[in-house]
Amino acid sequence: VVPSSPADAVGLLKACIADDDPCLFIEDGVTRTVKGVAPPADHFIPLGKAHVEREGTDVSVISYGRPLQDIRKIADEMSAQGVSVEIIDLRTISPLDTETLVASVRKTGRAVVVHEAVRSFGVGAEVAARIQEHAFDCLKAPVLRVASKDATVPFARTLELDFLYQRGDIEAAIKQTLEG
């Protein structure tokens, strides 16, 4: 599981504790420091269920964890330009909620997958493959992926910033899929 907000962290952690199978709870340093309203005591998020965070009609942007902070801002900016972005927060990587992904892409006809990991052989590739397998007939443009460079994560902060995808990469991918 990979939370993208404080409330999700609480709900997903409770789900992991309640689950009989082993769970890997991953949080990044940036998301861990984000403040938010405390959820109710009974807040629980089921494992394997993605969250449609924002309804949209033009493009589905699918992600998890920290990148959602960038995606939310970009979706607001693009809304002012008349582009309706649907945001899907995966929340859990395994099991992956293929049903929600496919329903979103069938509605919008376009998909951009964003993640911090390297581009090759990761979650983004799996999400793109599932979209191709289950919604190919509805795609108006190729599924695009925004990810970090295919390299080892550098230790030096300046090099790490160069390794990571840039916010502009997300905007460019959304615009490219709209033109496709």
Side-chain angles (χ1 to χ4, degrees), residues 54-114:
R54 179 182 182 140
E55 295 279 341
T57 57
D58 295 326
V59 60
S60 301
V61 180
I62 303 155
S63 190
Y64 59 94
R66 192 201 64 76
L68 283 155
Q69 294 177 34
D70 292 329
I71 294 165
R72 291 174 188 127
K73 292 174 187 167
I74 291 167
D76 287 342
E77 293 167 5
M78 297 198 94
S79 177
Q81 301 168 20
V83 177
S84 178
V85 176
E86 179 149 301
I87 301 175
I88 306 294
D89 182 353
L90 294 176
R91 288 181 167 164
T92 62
I93 305 308
S94 179
L96 188 60
D97 184 359
T98 303
E99 184 179 317
T100 299
L101 300 174
V102 170
S104 177
V105 174
R106 285 195 174 281
K107 179 171 69 169
T108 65
R110 298 175 177 89
V112 174
V113 184
V114 183

Side-chain angles (χ1 to χ4, degrees), residues 2 13 17 39 58 90 109 123 126 157 161 168 171 173 180:
V2 186
L13 186 57
I17 292 168
D58 295 326
L90 294 176
V123 173
E126 181 62 25
R157 181 71 179 141
L161 292 174
E171 294 174 53

Side-chain angles (χ1 to χ4, degrees), residues 37-56:
V37 178
D42 62 347
H43 184 61
F44 184 90
I45 296 173
L47 300 178
K49 186 68 182 138
H51 173 60
V52 180
E53 186 173 306
R54 179 182 182 140
E55 295 279 341

